[in-house]
Structures are given as structure tokens and as C-alpha cells.
Amino acid sequence: QWHVVESGGGLVQPGGSLRLSCAASGRTFSSYAMGWFRQDPGKEREFVASISYNSFNTDYADFAEGRFTISRDNNKKELYLQMNSLKPEDTSIYYCNAVAGTNPRFQDWGQGTQVTVSS
């Protein structure tokens, strides 16, 4: 069973930074490409960024390119998202999951972590 726990969200001013973390268990973390998604109430979940199983390849949504950096530590079974130059429109709940391309691989989601960008 796939189980993930996201953390690191919070309230930050525009232009600020946050680092999100995702701890995974239940499957062989190092075997899967991983990704971050975000979702606002009443809207569909959208892709943010992904990283290959060996960290060789990364992919970003246009809004994340140049501001966000995805990384992983397979020994710790953790995924990260460094978010810089945050904007109010980045306010959302952020989730992690294994990915296939830009789509989530598993149906199991964590509770997410709330990011709020506001002055």
C-alpha cells in the first residue's frame, strides 16, 4: 500500500520561499518517478513538477519553471520541492505521488500541505 505524508507548508509573504517534503512508504520508493501536484478547492489537481527515479531528469509546469526545484533522497525515501519567488497564485494544497509522465500513478493520496502566499 502506498502511503505518503507531505509537510513544510505554511504562510509566506510574496517573494518568499518554502521547502516542501514528502515521506513515502509502502512501496519501493527508489523505483518510481515522483512528482508534486497542487489543488485548489473546486478545481482539478494540477501537475507541478516531477523527477525520475534516479534524479537524472526533471520536468516542471510552466508556472514552476525557474522558481521551483524538485529533488529526492532515495536513501531517506523522501521527495522535496524548493519553492522560491512565491506568488499569491501559488497558494494551494500541495500533494506528492509517484508519477507516470505528468499524471499520478497511484490512487492513494496524502493529506497534502497547505501553502499560503499572502502579505
Side-chain angles (χ1 to χ4, degrees):
Q1 182 178 358
W2 182 248
H3 183 65
V4 295
V5 178
E6 301 92 347
S7 61
L11 173 63
V12 63
Q13 292 187 343
S17 298
L18 281 175
R19 187 186 190 223
L20 306 185
S21 297
C22 165
S25 63
R27 295 178 186 265
T28 307
F29 177 80
S30 59
S31 297
Y32 296 101
M34 293 292 297
W36 287 96
F37 299 82
R38 68 186 189 185
Q39 185 174 25
D40 296 331
K43 296 185 179 181
E44 291 189 358
R45 199 164 293 175
E46 65 175 343
F47 170 79
V48 176
S50 66
I51 186 168
S52 60
Y53 74 98
N54 57 7
S55 301
F56 284 4
N57 297 297
T58 57
D59 188 23
Y60 296 92
D62 288 344
F63 64 80
E65 189 77 54
R67 299 189 299 127
F68 296 0
T69 302
I70 189 171
S71 61
R72 66 190 295 164
D73 185 330
N74 284 345
N75 290 327
K76 294 183 178 179
K77 297 183 180 181
E78 292 187 351
L79 177 73
Y80 310 103
L81 185 68
Q82 177 67 43
M83 303 189 296
N84 299 327
S85 302
L86 283 162
K87 305 175 181 179
E89 51 264 44
D90 294 319
T91 296
S92 190
I93 302 175
Y94 286 73
Y95 301 86
C96 65
N97 203 330
V99 297
T102 60
N103 297 309
R105 178 179 287 271
F106 301 128
Q107 294 299 313
D108 301 300
W109 293 90
Q111 81 288 350
T113 186
Q114 175 72 51
V115 171
T116 302
V117 184
S118 175
S119 55

Coordinates of all heavy atoms in Angstrom, one line a residue, residues 30-109:
S30 N 12.5 4.1 -4.5 CA 13.5 4.4 -5.5 C 13.2 3.9 -6.9 O 13.9 4.2 -7.8 CB 14.9 3.8 -5.0 OG 14.7 2.4 -4.8
S31 N 12.2 3.1 -7.0 CA 11.8 2.5 -8.3 C 10.9 3.5 -9.1 O 10.7 3.2 -10.3 CB 11.0 1.2 -8.1 OG 11.9 0.2 -7.5
Y32 N 10.4 4.5 -8.5 CA 9.4 5.3 -9.1 C 9.8 6.7 -9.4 O 10.4 7.3 -8.5 CB 8.1 5.3 -8.3 CG 7.4 4.0 -8.1 CD1 7.6 3.2 -7.0 CD2 6.7 3.4 -9.2 CE1 7.0 2.0 -6.8 CE2 6.1 2.2 -9.0 CZ 6.3 1.5 -7.9 OH 5.7 0.2 -7.7
A33 N 9.4 7.2 -10.6 CA 9.5 8.7 -10.7 C 8.5 9.3 -9.8 O 7.4 8.7 -9.5 CB 9.1 9.0 -12.2
M34 N 8.8 10.4 -9.3 CA 7.9 11.1 -8.3 C 7.6 12.5 -8.7 O 8.3 13.1 -9.5 CB 8.6 11.2 -6.9 CG 8.9 9.8 -6.3 SD 7.3 9.0 -5.7 CE 6.7 10.2 -4.5
G35 N 6.5 13.0 -8.2 CA 6.0 14.3 -8.6 C 5.3 15.1 -7.5 O 4.8 14.5 -6.6
W36 N 5.1 16.3 -7.8 CA 4.3 17.2 -6.9 C 3.1 17.7 -7.8 O 3.2 18.0 -9.0 CB 5.1 18.4 -6.4 CG 6.1 18.1 -5.4 CD1 7.4 17.8 -5.5 CD2 5.8 18.0 -4.0 NE1 8.0 17.5 -4.3 CE2 7.0 17.6 -3.3 CE3 4.7 18.1 -3.2 CZ2 7.1 17.5 -1.9 CZ3 4.8 17.9 -1.8 CH2 6.0 17.6 -1.2
F37 N 2.0 17.8 -7.1 CA 0.8 18.3 -7.7 C 0.2 19.4 -6.7 O 0.6 19.4 -5.5 CB -0.3 17.2 -7.9 CG 0.2 16.1 -8.8 CD1 1.0 15.1 -8.3 CD2 -0.2 16.1 -10.1 CE1 1.5 14.1 -9.2 CE2 0.3 15.1 -11.0 CZ 1.1 14.1 -10.5
R38 N -0.7 20.2 -7.2 CA -1.4 21.1 -6.3 C -2.9 21.2 -6.7 O -3.2 21.0 -7.9 CB -0.8 22.5 -6.3 CG -0.9 23.3 -7.6 CD 0.0 24.6 -7.4 NE -0.3 25.5 -8.6 CZ 0.4 26.6 -8.8 NH1 1.3 27.0 -7.9 NH2 0.1 27.3 -9.8
Q39 N -3.7 21.5 -5.7 CA -5.1 21.6 -6.0 C -5.8 22.7 -5.1 O -5.6 22.7 -3.9 CB -5.8 20.2 -5.7 CG -7.3 20.2 -6.0 CD -7.8 18.8 -5.9 OE1 -7.3 18.0 -5.1 NE2 -8.9 18.5 -6.6
D40 N -6.6 23.5 -5.8 CA -7.4 24.5 -5.1 C -8.8 23.9 -4.9 O -9.3 23.1 -5.7 CB -7.5 25.8 -5.9 CG -6.1 26.4 -6.0 OD1 -5.3 26.2 -5.0 OD2 -5.9 27.1 -7.0
P41 N -9.5 24.3 -3.9 CA -10.9 23.8 -3.7 C -11.8 24.1 -4.9 O -11.7 25.2 -5.5 CB -11.4 24.7 -2.5 CG -10.2 25.0 -1.8 CD -9.1 25.2 -2.8
G42 N -12.4 23.1 -5.4 CA -13.3 23.2 -6.5 C -12.6 23.1 -7.9 O -13.3 23.2 -8.9
K43 N -11.3 22.9 -7.9 CA -10.6 22.8 -9.1 C -9.9 21.5 -9.2 O -9.7 20.7 -8.2 CB -9.5 23.9 -9.2 CG -10.1 25.3 -9.2 CD -9.0 26.4 -9.4 CE -9.6 27.8 -9.5 NZ -8.6 28.8 -9.7
E44 N -9.5 21.1 -10.4 CA -8.8 19.9 -10.6 C -7.3 20.0 -10.1 O -6.7 21.1 -10.1 CB -8.8 19.5 -12.1 CG -10.1 19.1 -12.6 CD -10.1 18.5 -14.0 OE1 -9.0 18.5 -14.6 OE2 -11.1 18.1 -14.5
R45 N -6.8 18.8 -9.7 CA -5.4 18.8 -9.3 C -4.5 19.0 -10.5 O -4.8 18.5 -11.6 CB -5.1 17.4 -8.7 CG -3.9 17.4 -7.8 CD -4.0 16.1 -6.9 NE -5.1 16.2 -5.9 CZ -5.4 15.2 -5.1 NH1 -4.8 14.1 -5.2 NH2 -6.4 15.3 -4.3
E46 N -3.5 19.8 -10.3 CA -2.6 20.1 -11.5 C -1.2 19.7 -11.2 O -0.7 19.8 -10.0 CB -2.7 21.6 -11.9 CG -2.2 22.6 -10.8 CD -2.2 24.0 -11.4 OE1 -2.3 24.2 -12.6 OE2 -2.1 24.9 -10.5
F47 N -0.5 19.3 -12.2 CA 0.9 18.9 -12.1 C 1.8 20.1 -11.8 O 1.6 21.2 -12.4 CB 1.3 18.3 -13.5 CG 2.8 18.0 -13.6 CD1 3.4 16.9 -13.0 CD2 3.6 18.9 -14.4 CE1 4.7 16.7 -13.2 CE2 4.9 18.6 -14.5 CZ 5.5 17.5 -13.9
V48 N 2.8 19.9 -11.0 CA 3.7 21.0 -10.6 C 5.1 20.6 -11.2 O 5.8 21.4 -11.9 CB 3.8 21.2 -9.1 CG1 4.9 22.3 -8.8 CG2 2.4 21.7 -8.6
A49 N 5.6 19.4 -10.8 CA 7.0 19.1 -11.1 C 7.1 17.6 -10.9 O 6.4 16.9 -10.2 CB 8.0 19.8 -10.3
S50 N 8.1 17.0 -11.7 CA 8.4 15.6 -11.5 C 9.9 15.3 -11.6 O 10.7 16.2 -12.1 CB 7.7 14.7 -12.5 OG 8.2 15.0 -13.8
I51 N 10.3 14.2 -11.0 CA 11.7 13.8 -11.1 C 11.8 12.3 -11.3 O 11.0 11.5 -10.8 CB 12.4 14.2 -9.7 CG1 13.9 14.0 -9.8 CG2 11.8 13.5 -8.5 CD1 14.7 14.6 -8.6
S52 N 12.8 11.9 -12.1 CA 12.9 10.5 -12.4 C 13.4 9.7 -11.2 O 13.9 10.3 -10.2 CB 13.9 10.3 -13.6 OG 15.2 10.8 -13.3
Y53 N 13.4 8.4 -11.3 CA 13.7 7.6 -10.1 C 15.1 7.8 -9.7 O 15.5 7.7 -8.5 CB 13.5 6.1 -10.5 CG 14.5 5.5 -11.4 CD1 15.6 4.8 -10.9 CD2 14.4 5.7 -12.8 CE1 16.5 4.2 -11.7 CE2 15.4 5.1 -13.6 CZ 16.4 4.4 -13.1 OH 17.4 3.9 -13.9
N54 N 16.0 8.1 -10.6 CA 17.5 8.3 -10.3 C 17.9 9.8 -10.3 O 19.1 10.1 -10.2 CB 18.3 7.5 -11.4 CG 18.0 8.0 -12.8 OD1 17.3 9.0 -13.0 ND2 18.6 7.3 -13.8
S55 N 16.9 10.7 -10.3 CA 17.2 12.1 -10.3 C 17.8 12.7 -11.6 O 18.1 13.9 -11.6 CB 18.0 12.5 -9.1 OG 17.4 12.2 -7.9
F56 N 18.0 11.9 -12.6 CA 18.6 12.4 -13.8 C 17.8 13.3 -14.6 O 18.3 14.2 -15.2 CB 19.0 11.2 -14.7 CG 20.2 10.4 -14.2 CD1 20.8 10.7 -13.0 CD2 20.7 9.4 -15.0 CE1 21.9 10.0 -12.6 CE2 21.8 8.6 -14.5 CZ 22.4 8.9 -13.3
N57 N 16.5 13.2 -14.5 CA 15.6 14.0 -15.3 C 14.5 14.7 -14.4 O 14.0 14.1 -13.5 CB 14.9 13.2 -16.4 CG 15.8 12.6 -17.3 OD1 16.5 13.3 -18.1 ND2 15.9 11.3 -17.4
T58 N 14.2 15.9 -14.7 CA 13.2 16.7 -14.0 C 12.3 17.3 -15.1 O 12.7 17.6 -16.2 CB 13.7 17.7 -13.1 OG1 14.6 18.6 -13.8 CG2 14.5 17.1 -11.9
D59 N 11.1 17.6 -14.7 CA 10.1 18.3 -15.5 C 9.3 19.2 -14.7 O 9.0 18.9 -13.5 CB 9.2 17.2 -16.2 CG 8.3 17.8 -17.3 OD1 8.6 18.9 -17.8 OD2 7.3 17.2 -17.6
Y60 N 9.0 20.4 -15.3 CA 8.2 21.4 -14.5 C 7.1 22.0 -15.3 O 7.2 22.1 -16.5 CB 9.2 22.6 -14.1 CG 10.3 22.2 -13.2 CD1 11.5 21.8 -13.7 CD2 10.1 22.2 -11.8 CE1 12.5 21.4 -12.8 CE2 11.1 21.8 -10.9 CZ 12.3 21.4 -11.5 OH 13.3 21.1 -10.6
A61 N 6.0 22.3 -14.6 CA 5.0 23.0 -15.3 C 5.5 24.4 -15.6 O 6.5 24.9 -14.9 CB 3.8 23.2 -14.3
D62 N 4.9 25.1 -16.6 CA 5.4 26.4 -17.0 C 5.5 27.4 -15.8 O 6.5 28.1 -15.7 CB 4.6 27.0 -18.1 CG 4.7 26.2 -19.4 OD1 5.7 25.5 -19.5 OD2 3.9 26.4 -20.3
F63 N 4.5 27.3 -14.9 CA 4.5 28.3 -13.8 C 5.5 28.0 -12.8 O 5.9 28.9 -12.0 CB 3.1 28.3 -13.2 CG 2.7 27.0 -12.5 CD1 3.2 26.7 -11.2 CD2 1.9 26.1 -13.1 CE1 2.9 25.5 -10.6 CE2 1.5 24.9 -12.5 CZ 2.0 24.6 -11.2
A64 N 6.1 26.8 -12.8 CA 7.1 26.4 -11.8 C 8.5 26.6 -12.3 O 9.5 26.7 -11.5 CB 6.9 25.0 -11.4
E65 N 8.7 26.6 -13.6 CA 10.0 26.6 -14.2 C 10.7 27.9 -13.8 O 10.2 29.0 -13.8 CB 9.8 26.6 -15.8 CG 11.1 26.5 -16.5 CD 11.6 25.0 -16.5 OE1 10.8 24.2 -16.9 OE2 12.8 24.8 -16.1
G66 N 12.0 27.6 -13.3 CA 12.8 28.7 -12.9 C 12.6 29.2 -11.4 O 13.4 30.0 -10.9
R67 N 11.5 28.8 -10.8 CA 11.2 29.2 -9.4 C 11.3 28.0 -8.5 O 11.6 28.2 -7.3 CB 9.9 29.9 -9.3 CG 9.8 31.2 -10.2 CD 8.5 31.9 -9.8 NE 7.3 31.1 -10.1 CZ 6.3 30.9 -9.2 NH1 6.4 31.4 -8.0 NH2 5.2 30.1 -9.6
F68 N 10.8 26.9 -8.9 CA 10.7 25.7 -8.1 C 11.8 24.7 -8.5 O 12.2 24.6 -9.7 CB 9.4 25.0 -8.3 CG 8.2 25.8 -7.8 CD1 8.3 27.1 -7.3 CD2 6.9 25.3 -7.9 CE1 7.2 27.8 -6.8 CE2 5.8 26.0 -7.5 CZ 6.0 27.3 -7.0
T69 N 12.3 23.9 -7.5 CA 13.3 22.9 -7.8 C 12.9 21.6 -7.1 O 12.7 21.6 -5.8 CB 14.7 23.3 -7.3 OG1 15.1 24.5 -8.0 CG2 15.7 22.2 -7.6
I70 N 12.7 20.5 -7.8 CA 12.3 19.2 -7.2 C 13.6 18.4 -7.0 O 14.5 18.4 -7.9 CB 11.3 18.5 -8.1 CG1 10.7 17.3 -7.4 CG2 11.9 18.2 -9.5 CD1 9.6 16.6 -8.2
S71 N 13.6 17.7 -5.9 CA 14.8 16.8 -5.7 C 14.3 15.6 -4.8 O 13.1 15.6 -4.3 CB 15.9 17.5 -4.9 OG 15.4 18.1 -3.7
R72 N 15.1 14.6 -4.6 CA 14.7 13.4 -3.9 C 16.0 12.8 -3.2 O 17.1 13.0 -3.6 CB 14.1 12.4 -4.8 CG 15.0 11.8 -5.8 CD 14.2 11.0 -6.8 NE 13.6 9.8 -6.2 CZ 12.6 9.1 -6.8 NH1 12.1 9.5 -7.9 NH2 12.1 8.0 -6.1
D73 N 15.7 12.1 -2.1 CA 16.7 11.3 -1.4 C 16.2 9.9 -1.3 O 15.3 9.6 -0.5 CB 17.0 11.9 -0.1 CG 18.2 11.3 0.7 OD1 18.4 10.1 0.4 OD2 18.8 11.9 1.5
N74 N 16.7 9.0 -2.2 CA 16.2 7.7 -2.2 C 16.5 6.9 -0.9 O 15.8 6.0 -0.5 CB 16.7 6.9 -3.4 CG 16.0 7.3 -4.7 OD1 14.9 8.0 -4.6 ND2 16.5 7.0 -5.8
N75 N 17.6 7.2 -0.3 CA 18.0 6.6 1.0 C 17.0 6.9 2.1 O 16.7 6.0 2.9 CB 19.4 7.0 1.4 CG 20.5 6.4 0.5 OD1 20.3 5.3 0.0 ND2 21.5 7.1 0.3
K76 N 16.5 8.1 2.1 CA 15.6 8.5 3.1 C 14.1 8.3 2.7 O 13.2 8.5 3.5 CB 15.8 10.0 3.5 CG 17.1 10.3 4.1 CD 17.1 11.8 4.5 CE 18.4 12.2 5.2 NZ 18.5 13.6 5.5
K77 N 13.9 7.9 1.4 CA 12.6 7.8 0.8 C 11.8 9.1 0.9 O 10.6 9.1 1.3 CB 11.8 6.7 1.5 CG 12.5 5.3 1.3 CD 11.6 4.2 1.9 CE 12.2 2.8 1.7 NZ 11.4 1.7 2.3
E78 N 12.5 10.2 0.6 CA 11.8 11.5 0.7 C 12.0 12.3 -0.6 O 12.9 12.1 -1.4 CB 12.5 12.3 1.8 CG 12.2 11.8 3.2 CD 12.6 12.7 4.3 OE1 13.3 13.6 4.0 OE2 12.3 12.4 5.5
L79 N 11.0 13.1 -0.9 CA 10.9 13.9 -2.0 C 10.8 15.4 -1.5 O 10.1 15.6 -0.5 CB 9.6 13.6 -2.8 CG 9.3 14.4 -4.1 CD1 10.3 14.1 -5.2 CD2 7.9 14.2 -4.5
Y80 N 11.3 16.3 -2.3 CA 11.3 17.7 -1.8 C 10.9 18.6 -3.0 O 11.0 18.3 -4.2 CB 12.7 18.1 -1.4 CG 13.4 17.2 -0.4 CD1 14.3 16.2 -0.8 CD2 13.0 17.1 0.9 CE1 14.9 15.3 0.1 CE2 13.5 16.2 1.8 CZ 14.5 15.4 1.4 OH 15.0 14.5 2.3
L81 N 10.4 19.8 -2.6 CA 10.1 20.8 -3.5 C 10.6 22.2 -2.9 O 9.9 22.6 -2.0 CB 8.7 20.9 -3.9 CG 8.3 21.9 -5.0 CD1 8.9 21.4 -6.3 CD2 6.8 22.0 -5.1
Q82 N 11.6 22.7 -3.5 CA 12.1 24.0 -3.0 C 11.4 25.1 -3.9 O 11.5 25.1 -5.1 CB 13.6 24.2 -3.2 CG 14.1 25.5 -2.9 CD 14.1 25.8 -1.4 OE1 14.3 25.0 -0.6 NE2 13.6 27.1 -1.1
M83 N 10.6 26.0 -3.2 CA 9.8 27.0 -3.9 C 10.4 28.3 -3.6 O 10.4 28.7 -2.4 CB 8.4 26.8 -3.5 CG 7.8 25.4 -3.8 SD 6.0 25.4 -3.6 CE 5.9 25.7 -1.9
N84 N 10.8 29.1 -4.6 CA 11.3 30.4 -4.4 C 10.5 31.4 -5.2 O 9.7 31.0 -6.0 CB 12.8 30.5 -4.9 CG 13.7 29.6 -4.1 OD1 13.5 29.3 -2.9 ND2 14.7 29.0 -4.8
S85 N 10.7 32.7 -4.8 CA 9.9 33.7 -5.5 C 8.4 33.4 -5.6 O 7.8 33.6 -6.6 CB 10.5 33.9 -6.9 OG 11.8 34.2 -6.9
L86 N 7.9 33.1 -4.4 CA 6.5 32.6 -4.4 C 5.5 33.8 -4.7 O 5.8 35.0 -4.3 CB 6.2 32.0 -3.0 CG 6.7 30.6 -2.9 CD1 6.7 30.2 -1.4 CD2 5.8 29.6 -3.6
K87 N 4.5 33.5 -5.3 CA 3.4 34.4 -5.7 C 2.1 34.1 -5.0 O 1.9 32.9 -4.7 CB 3.3 34.4 -7.2 CG 4.5 34.6 -8.0 CD 4.3 34.5 -9.5 CE 5.6 34.7 -10.3 NZ 5.3 34.5 -11.8
P88 N 1.2 35.0 -4.9 CA -0.1 34.7 -4.3 C -0.8 33.6 -5.1 O -1.5 32.8 -4.4 CB -0.9 36.0 -4.4 CG 0.2 37.1 -4.3 CD 1.4 36.5 -5.1
E89 N -0.6 33.5 -6.4 CA -1.3 32.4 -7.1 C -0.7 31.1 -6.9 O -1.3 30.1 -7.4 CB -1.3 32.8 -8.6 CG 0.1 33.1 -9.2 CD 0.3 34.6 -9.2 OE1 0.0 35.3 -8.3 OE2 0.9 35.1 -10.3
D90 N 0.4 31.0 -6.1 CA 0.9 29.7 -5.7 C 0.2 29.1 -4.5 O 0.4 28.0 -4.1 CB 2.4 29.8 -5.4 CG 3.3 30.1 -6.6 OD1 3.0 29.6 -7.7 OD2 4.2 30.9 -6.5
T91 N -0.7 29.9 -3.9 CA -1.5 29.4 -2.8 C -2.3 28.2 -3.2 O -3.1 28.3 -4.2 CB -2.4 30.6 -2.3 OG1 -1.6 31.6 -1.8 CG2 -3.3 30.0 -1.2
S92 N -2.1 27.1 -2.5 CA -2.8 25.9 -2.8 C -2.4 24.8 -1.8 O -1.6 25.1 -0.9 CB -2.4 25.4 -4.2 OG -3.2 24.4 -4.7
I93 N -3.1 23.7 -2.0 CA -2.6 22.5 -1.2 C -1.7 21.7 -2.1 O -2.1 21.3 -3.2 CB -3.8 21.7 -0.7 CG1 -4.8 22.5 0.1 CG2 -3.4 20.4 0.1 CD1 -6.0 21.8 0.6
Y94 N -0.6 21.3 -1.6 CA 0.4 20.6 -2.4 C 0.5 19.1 -2.0 O 0.5 18.8 -0.8 CB 1.8 21.2 -2.3 CG 1.9 22.5 -3.0 CD1 1.2 23.7 -2.6 CD2 2.6 22.6 -4.2 CE1 1.3 24.9 -3.3 CE2 2.7 23.8 -4.9 CZ 2.0 24.9 -4.5 OH 2.1 26.1 -5.2
Y95 N 0.5 18.2 -3.0 CA 0.5 16.8 -2.8 C 1.6 16.2 -3.6 O 2.1 16.7 -4.6 CB -0.8 16.2 -3.3 CG -2.1 16.7 -2.7 CD1 -2.7 17.9 -3.2 CD2 -2.7 16.0 -1.6 CE1 -3.9 18.3 -2.7 CE2 -3.9 16.5 -1.1 CZ -4.4 17.7 -1.6 OH -5.6 18.1 -1.1
C96 N 2.1 15.0 -3.1 CA 3.1 14.2 -3.8 C 2.5 12.9 -4.2 O 1.6 12.4 -3.5 CB 4.4 14.1 -3.0 SG 4.2 13.1 -1.5
N97 N 3.1 12.3 -5.2 CA 2.7 11.0 -5.6 C 3.7 10.4 -6.6 O 4.5 11.2 -7.1 CB 1.3 11.0 -6.4 CG 0.6 9.7 -6.4 OD1 1.2 8.6 -6.3 ND2 -0.8 9.8 -6.4
A98 N 3.7 9.1 -6.8 CA 4.5 8.6 -7.9 C 3.8 9.1 -9.2 O 2.6 9.4 -9.2 CB 4.6 7.1 -7.8
V99 N 4.6 9.2 -10.2 CA 4.1 9.7 -11.5 C 4.4 8.8 -12.7 O 5.4 8.0 -12.6 CB 4.6 11.1 -11.8 CG1 4.1 12.1 -10.7 CG2 6.1 11.1 -12.0
A100 N 3.5 8.9 -13.7 CA 3.8 8.3 -15.0 C 3.6 9.5 -15.9 O 2.5 10.0 -16.2 CB 2.8 7.3 -15.3
G101 N 4.8 10.1 -16.4 CA 4.7 11.3 -17.1 C 4.3 12.4 -16.2 O 5.0 12.7 -15.2
T102 N 3.3 13.1 -16.5 CA 2.8 14.2 -15.6 C 1.5 13.8 -14.9 O 0.8 14.7 -14.3 CB 2.5 15.5 -16.4 OG1 1.5 15.2 -17.4 CG2 3.8 16.0 -17.1
N103 N 1.2 12.5 -14.9 CA 0.0 12.0 -14.3 C 0.3 11.2 -13.0 O 1.4 10.6 -13.0 CB -0.8 11.1 -15.2 CG -1.3 11.9 -16.4 OD1 -1.9 13.0 -16.3 ND2 -1.0 11.4 -17.6
P104 N -0.5 11.3 -12.0 CA -0.3 10.5 -10.8 C -0.4 9.0 -11.1 O -1.2 8.6 -11.9 CB -1.4 11.0 -9.8 CG -2.5 11.5 -10.7 CD -1.8 12.1 -11.9
R105 N 0.5 8.2 -10.5 CA 0.5 6.8 -10.7 C -0.5 6.0 -9.8 O -1.1 5.1 -10.3 CB 1.9 6.2 -10.6 CG 2.0 4.8 -10.8 CD 3.5 4.3 -10.6 NE 4.3 4.7 -11.7 CZ 4.4 4.0 -12.8 NH1 3.8 2.8 -13.0 NH2 5.2 4.4 -13.8
F106 N -0.6 6.5 -8.6 CA -1.4 5.7 -7.6 C -2.6 6.5 -7.2 O -2.6 7.8 -7.3 CB -0.6 5.4 -6.4 CG 0.6 4.5 -6.7 CD1 1.9 4.9 -6.3 CD2 0.5 3.4 -7.4 CE1 3.0 4.2 -6.6 CE2 1.6 2.6 -7.7 CZ 2.9 3.0 -7.3
Q107 N -3.6 5.8 -6.8 CA -4.9 6.4 -6.3 C -4.8 6.9 -4.9 O -5.6 7.7 -4.5 CB -6.1 5.5 -6.5 CG -6.4 5.1 -7.9 CD -6.8 6.3 -8.7 OE1 -7.6 7.1 -8.3 NE2 -6.2 6.4 -9.9
D108 N -3.8 6.5 -4.2 CA -3.7 6.9 -2.8 C -3.0 8.2 -2.7 O -1.9 8.4 -3.2 CB -2.9 5.8 -2.0 CG -3.5 4.5 -2.0 OD1 -4.7 4.4 -1.6 OD2 -2.9 3.5 -2.5
W109 N -3.6 9.1 -2.0 CA -3.0 10.5 -1.8 C -2.9 10.7 -0.3 O -3.6 10.2 0.5 CB -3.9 11.6 -2.4 CG -4.1 11.5 -3.9 CD1 -5.0 10.8 -4.6 CD2 -3.2 12.2 -4.8 NE1 -4.7 11.1 -5.9 CE2 -3.7 11.9 -6.1 CE3 -2.1 13.1 -4.7 CZ2 -3.1 12.4 -7.2 CZ3 -1.5 13.5 -5.8 CH2 -2.0 13.2 -7.1

